[in-house]
Amino acid sequence: MKKQQEAVKILIFGGTTEGRRAAGYLAAAGVRVHVCVATGYGEMLLEKDKKELEGKGLTVSARRMEAREMAVWIREFVPRYVIDATHPYAREVTENIRQACEACQVPCLRLLRETDGDGKEKGVASVREAAEFLSRTEGKILVTTGSKDLAEYQKIPGYEERVYVRVLPAPESLEACRRAGIGGDHILAMQGPFSQELNVALLRQYHIQWMVTKASGRTGGYPEKQAAALEAGAGLVVIEKPEEETGYSWEEICSLLTEELGLVPHWQVTVAGIGPGGEEGFTREAWEACRSAGLLIGAERMLKAAAALGQKTYAAYDPREILSCIHAHPEEEQVTVALSGDIGFYSGARRLEKALGEDPRIQVRLVPGVASAVVFAARMGIPWEDVAFASIHGRKCSPISLIRENQKTMILAGSREDVKELGSLLVEFGLGGIRAVVGTRLSYPEEKILRGDGNMLREYDGDGLALIYLENLQGGKEPAVPGRPDGTFLRGEVPMTKEEVRSVSLAKLRPGRDWVIYDIGAGTGSVAVEAALAAWQGQVYAIERKREALDLIRENARRFGTDNVTVVPGEAPEALDGLPAPDGVFIGGSGGKLPEILEAVFAKNPKARVVLNAVTLETVAEAVACMKKWNLQEEEVVQLNVSRARRAGAYHLMEGQNPIYIISMTGGGGTWEESQDS
């Protein structure tokens, strides 16, 4: 296959966008390609491709040729195909290429410009049609077709500010401008010829976005206008639309050559963050990545902000759908996927990059954007280096824990219900009075910033996709170690693990901040609450069978702002079904089912960390027997004796509490017998 590709040669006439795309695609696929352009400017446009693909068989020459000279080139190069990618208005050149190919008996593929090229060039049949087209556009316009029919441009909304005209410095021309309502500061009275450089200077000085010209050929300065518009990034409206011609789209030529030559498709996919969505929020790199793409993919809102006029787009957000769309367009080797905000801030970029990485034919480039949170912070006038971030947009999160641990928190919401639910949580956990700011449609004309407190969020009726800033001045001021005073917990008639025992037990558990923890036999929930304060980015499941204790656990969790405590009614080990695998387990009461509980825990996570409390020797004996069964690490049994001072008249006497056995272990994976077998 490779030898066949190396032997194949393709000759391309034309330095147009279509010609450059075809040359790049074929050369990168291993085909030897030579491109003939008419001017040095066309050669200059190919320089980048030439440098990148020279070693892969791309060569370029710049010279105007007649049909006879073209035939000489074809006979010397001996191409399998000739691709005519010249400009639609270069009718004479197209005819010369056709004659040369017929004389050499080489098939010629006429590459048609699709939907007026890249959306920046529009062919029309008359001045009236030009004015009608421009009425549907935005931006300033430079008319270079003379003073005749200027009145037609009065149909363009706001023409007095939008339209500039370049006319001869003759009295009749100036009078025609006056009659058409063109002001003196919008008249450029100049005598040609005009170079490309002068055209570019005028387009840039007056911030022109559309230039109107006639297909006047070389003598009328058309090539210079065309090149200037391309260089300045302006659209070109060309009067005297060419006759309909037959030929092939790039998709058709690509499909034909790929199948016949056995080419392997390849894609350069740029994943670009485009900011909050408004045009001014784009970085220059992201803007260019979107506008230069042969295929632009993204959600509808992203496409509306990022797509150029006439650009090929596809609305998709799911990574698999995006991958399928790329595979369906082998002819579009330059693809950009537009994502909102920054690709590193709660973005779909990671999932997309993983999906794209499964195809070795795809090369991925990442372009960062301006995160909506950065824009929001700027609107509020606050620094954001000390802000904690979270998302409740399709994600599980314990926002109260985050707010409790930080003075500044910013939360991304995906729906109106998300915002209302957050407001209800704030009120429930006693944080309804903290400062709250909501930002929606950031960078859009309809941008809104709402200020109030947490109570305001319960009645929120704004845009669903929102950023919420919450300021809790008491955030992060909780003690960093366990051992909250017993009196701060509601107890009722339910047994509670005392603070000294609780402190040592949690120290032995060594919870990570993002752990999943079981508190089995939770009682009042004092251990569950303190574990949740330590594992504030994780989740604690308080398993309790006594009905009177369940409400106590919930109320204590509310008191301490631990929304990451989930109450699970029932008895272990049955109540553990359906819960995520634990990192750590505290067993305050086993109900005589310690072996079954440990078996269920280690089945979920063979390396879980377990701490249990025992007050009777029978429970200690049962625990030691279990420790002999399981392959464990870091086994430890500690007896804790605590005495507390009690006032007796003018004196204080020490009064001993019941001794507690604190037994800790870490699973080593499997049973003791299995470890011996291995």
Side-chain angles (χ1 to χ4, degrees):
M1 184 69 70
K2 189 171 182 181
K3 287 184 179 178
Q4 181 190 22
Q5 290 179 19
E6 288 175 349
V8 172
K9 293 186 281 189
I10 302 289
L11 180 62
I12 299 176
F13 285 95
T16 58
T17 301
E18 293 80 11
R20 296 198 303 276
R21 180 204 283 180
Y25 178 82
L26 294 170
V31 177
R32 187 178 169 193
V33 180
H34 184 84
V35 183
C36 295
V37 298
T39 65
Y41 181 72
E43 186 178 24
M44 182 192 75
L45 293 176
L46 275 159
E47 276 303 312
K48 182 182 177 185
D49 298 333
K50 189 177 172 185
K51 287 177 183 176
E52 292 178 356
L53 299 168
E54 224 166 14
K56 296 185 178 180
L58 175 65
T59 53
V60 182
S61 62
R63 201 181 87 191
R64 296 186 186 279
M65 290 184 280
E66 302 298 331
R68 181 182 57 79
E69 296 172 288
M70 291 176 179
V72 172
W73 247 109
I74 293 171
R75 290 191 182 98
E76 289 181 357
F77 192 65
V78 195
R80 175 80 66 87
Y81 287 98
V82 170
I83 297 178
D84 175 11
T86 57
H87 197 274
Y89 296 95
R91 300 170 190 153
E92 184 180 342
V93 178
T94 290
E95 179 59 25
N96 287 340
I97 295 169
R98 186 190 64 78
Q99 291 178 13
C101 288
E102 284 184 358
C104 299
Q105 296 185 331
V106 174
C108 178
L109 304 175
R110 172 59 175 153
L111 178 55
L112 299 176
R113 176 159 290 191
E114 304 156 24
T115 62
D116 300 305
D118 58 4
K120 298 299 284 181
E121 193 163 313
K122 173 71 176 176
V124 294
S126 64
V127 172
R128 176 174 295 179
E129 193 174 323
E132 289 174 355
F133 168 76
L134 290 166
S135 295
R136 301 189 296 273
T137 67
E138 297 179 354
K140 294 181 178 180
I141 302 160
L142 176 60
V143 176
T144 66
T145 55
S147 56
K148 187 181 178 183
D149 299 323
L150 285 178
E152 293 288 350
Y153 295 103
Q154 291 178 316
K155 299 173 183 176
I156 299 173
Y159 78 95
E160 302 95 330
E161 293 298 321
R162 289 188 64 192
V163 177
Y164 291 76
V165 296
R166 188 168 74 189
V167 297
L168 292 171
E172 54 271 24
S173 298
L174 299 175
E175 176 59 24
C177 292
R178 187 192 64 78
R179 288 196 303 271
I182 308 295
D185 57 344
H186 281 231
I187 301 172
L188 311 178
M190 306 172 72
Q191 175 71 53
F194 303 104
S195 66
Q196 176 187 327
E197 291 75 17
L198 180 55
N199 283 325
V200 170
L202 290 173
L203 293 174
R204 287 178 173 164
Q205 180 176 344
Y206 292 97
H207 307 290
I208 300 299
Q209 291 180 291
W210 292 97
M211 176 189 267
V212 184
T213 183
K214 290 182 180 178
S216 51
R218 227 178 327 171
T219 56
Y222 176 74
E224 289 77 11
K225 294 176 188 175
Q226 183 190 30
L230 181 64
E231 185 175 342
L236 201 62
V237 179
V238 186
I239 299 171
E240 295 177 17
K241 190 175 182 180
E243 299 172 2
E244 290 295 325
E245 55 179 345
T246 58
Y248 301 87
S249 67
W250 168 237
E251 285 91 338
E252 291 169 332
I253 290 180
C254 179
S255 177
L256 185 154
L257 296 179
T258 298
E259 183 176 348
E260 182 169 328
L261 306 181
L263 305 180
V264 178
H266 57 277
W267 297 270
Q268 166 80 52
V269 178
T270 300
V271 180
I274 67 169
E279 194 172 301
E280 67 275 13
F282 282 72
T283 64
R284 186 175 187 84
E285 186 180 13
W287 180 261
E288 290 176 354
C290 290
R291 291 305 177 101
S292 63
L295 173 64
L296 181 65
I297 305 174
E300 289 283 2
R301 183 169 67 92
M302 305 302 105
L303 296 179
K304 188 176 180 182
L309 181 66
Q311 188 173 21
K312 186 183 294 184
T313 61
Y314 184 83
Y317 186 78
D318 180 76
R320 290 294 162 190
E321 188 179 357
I322 290 172
L323 187 59
S324 297
C325 176
I326 293 169
H327 286 159
H329 292 85
E331 77 285 352
E332 300 294 354
E333 68 271 25
Q334 296 294 331
V335 179
T336 294
V337 181
L339 300 178
S340 64
D342 174 62
I343 55 174
F345 183 74
Y346 295 109
S347 169
R350 275 179 287 181
R351 286 196 308 129
L352 176 59
E353 189 180 6
K354 183 179 178 182
L356 297 177
E358 295 173 5
D359 189 338
R361 300 170 299 173
I362 294 177
Q363 183 180 354
V364 179
R365 180 172 74 108
L366 301 176
V367 175
V370 179
S372 55
V374 177
V375 176
F376 190 33
R379 296 289 192 269
M380 292 185 291
I382 64 165
W384 56 272
E385 70 269 9
D386 56 347
V387 173
F389 295 99
S391 173
I392 53 176
H393 180 17
R395 295 169 180 259
K396 288 185 177 180
C397 174
S398 300
I400 301 301
S401 296
L402 190 68
I403 296 161
R404 185 194 66 239
E405 294 293 329
N406 296 277
Q407 293 192 356
K408 297 178 181 179
T409 305
M410 200 177 291
I411 296 176
L412 177 65
S415 69
R416 193 174 298 165
E417 287 66 35
D418 284 346
V419 182
K420 288 182 175 181
E421 185 177 342
L422 177 60
S424 297
L425 280 173
L426 289 171
V427 173
E428 179 185 347
F429 284 88
L431 295 169
I434 67 172
R435 180 188 175 199
V437 185
V438 182
T440 61
R441 304 293 290 174
L442 297 170
S443 81
Y444 287 94
E446 58 270 30
E447 174 181 292
K448 284 187 178 179
I449 306 289
L450 303 175
R451 291 176 169 84
D453 59 21
N455 295 287
M456 167 189 77
L457 303 182
R458 292 187 299 173
E459 307 301 325
Y460 178 75
D461 195 34
D463 196 83
L465 194 61
L467 271 169
I468 306 150
Y469 172 76
L470 298 161
E471 194 170 271
N472 176 22
L473 297 180
Q474 299 304 311
K477 295 186 178 180
E478 284 285 335
V481 294
R484 272 66 177 177
D486 289 344
T488 58
F489 292 93
L490 290 178
R491 181 175 177 182
E493 299 301 319
V494 176
M496 181 175 73
T497 303
K498 300 297 190 295
E499 61 188 87
E500 294 85 4
V501 178
R502 198 163 60 240
S503 298
V504 176
S505 297
L506 285 169
K508 295 296 183 181
L509 188 62
R510 305 196 292 268
R513 66 178 61 187
D514 61 349
W515 272 25
V516 171
I517 298 172
Y518 296 169
D519 178 7
I520 298 175
T524 61
S526 63
V527 172
V529 165
E530 294 231 51
L533 290 169
W536 61 276
Q537 292 179 335
Q539 190 70 31
V540 176
Y541 294 90
I543 296 97
E544 177 55 55
R545 62 180 179 174
K546 295 178 181 177
R547 185 175 301 174
E548 63 269 25
L550 298 177
D551 288 338
L552 279 176
I553 299 171
R554 294 188 184 97
E555 182 56 28
N556 281 322
R558 189 199 66 76
R559 277 190 165 204
F560 284 88
T562 51
D563 62 332
N564 54 333
V565 171
T566 299
V567 178
V568 181
E571 187 172 359
E574 294 79 11
L576 307 184
D577 292 344
L579 299 183
D583 299 292
V585 177
F586 174 77
I587 304 175
S590 63
K593 296 182 178 180
L594 182 59
E596 294 87 345
I597 291 172
L598 288 176
E599 187 169 350
V601 166
F602 289 133
K604 284 177 174 283
N605 180 6
K607 296 187 177 182
R609 177 74 176 162
V610 177
V611 172
L612 63 96
N613 287 175
V615 294
T616 68
L617 292 176
E618 287 76 11
T619 303
V620 174
E622 188 179 32
V624 171
C626 289
M627 291 166 68
K628 290 180 179 179
K629 176 183 178 183
W630 294 96
N631 175 31
L632 301 174
Q633 299 172 0
E634 303 177 295
E635 306 157 79
E636 190 177 38
V637 179
V638 173
Q639 186 187 61
L640 183 65
N641 293 287
V642 177
S643 296
R644 288 187 177 183
R646 177 176 61 83
R647 183 182 290 275
Y651 300 94
H652 288 81
L653 299 177
M654 298 304 295
E655 186 174 76
Q657 308 293 310
N658 287 333
I660 298 288
Y661 292 89
I662 300 174
I663 304 168
S664 57
M665 64 195 82
T666 300
T671 64
W672 187 87
E673 290 84 356
E674 289 170 342
S675 69
Q676 295 304 300
D677 291 341
S678 63

